[in-house]
Amino acid sequence: MTGDEAPGLVVCAALRLEARAVRRGLARAPAAAVGYRARRAARLPRGRAVAVVGFGGALDDRLAPGDVVVAEEIRGGGKPVPCPGAPALAADLAADGLRVHVGPLVTADRIVREAERRVWAADGSRAVDMESAHVAAALPDGVPVAALRVIVDGPGHPLLRPGTIARGLAARRVLARTGPALERWAAALA
């Protein structure tokens, strides 16, 4: 790759902890922390494809902590953003031994409480985060985006309760295993 050529894939996460975890599984792609609510998304290196990864909350009570949700579209703040290749990415993650689900991902502007979870779950959304829609909005037109979230909390597993730290550590281990499938997803787009 020359200095002027964009990398094939750029992976971003809100937290440095998430970026470090996914970086362990990446062979070539850079991983960047974009901050809470993706405040630094405009400064992302430009890639030919972008994956937004990290921890998320389940909206669907069939999801358990440690499950991976791959977005078929990103909702929140405007027109839904389609995520090309979501089924193929999900199949690759499952082949790597992870429990994977595909469905819409919603970006919220705050921690979501139970009543709001039920409303979004009723429209088919599977998980919630605070960054994916912001990152997708900052991308140039035509740049494919993937979004995946490892579930930490949800119905029956509230965020601000005992057990969150253990679920977070387990989610970090799962997130570290997603890198190879993300790189295969980006390579298949080429």
Side-chain angles (χ1 to χ4, degrees), residues 54-138:
F55 307 137
L59 299 172
D60 183 333
D61 60 7
R62 294 170 291 182
L63 300 174
D67 285 1
V68 178
V69 174
V70 175
E72 65 186 8
E73 73 177 9
I74 301 167
R75 300 173 176 175
K79 183 179 173 188
V81 176
C83 297
L89 175 57
D92 270 354
L93 289 162
D96 288 345
L98 301 175
R99 288 185 321 254
V100 185
H101 309 268
V102 177
L105 171 70
V106 176
T107 297
D109 61 356
R110 66 191 173 289
I111 294 174
V112 176
R113 304 288 184 222
E114 292 307 310
E116 200 167 18
R117 283 182 197 270
R118 286 190 295 274
V119 170
W120 280 335
D123 80 0
S125 297
R126 304 294 306 270
V128 62
D129 73 0
M130 297 175 79
E131 293 79 32
S132 295
H134 301 296
V135 171

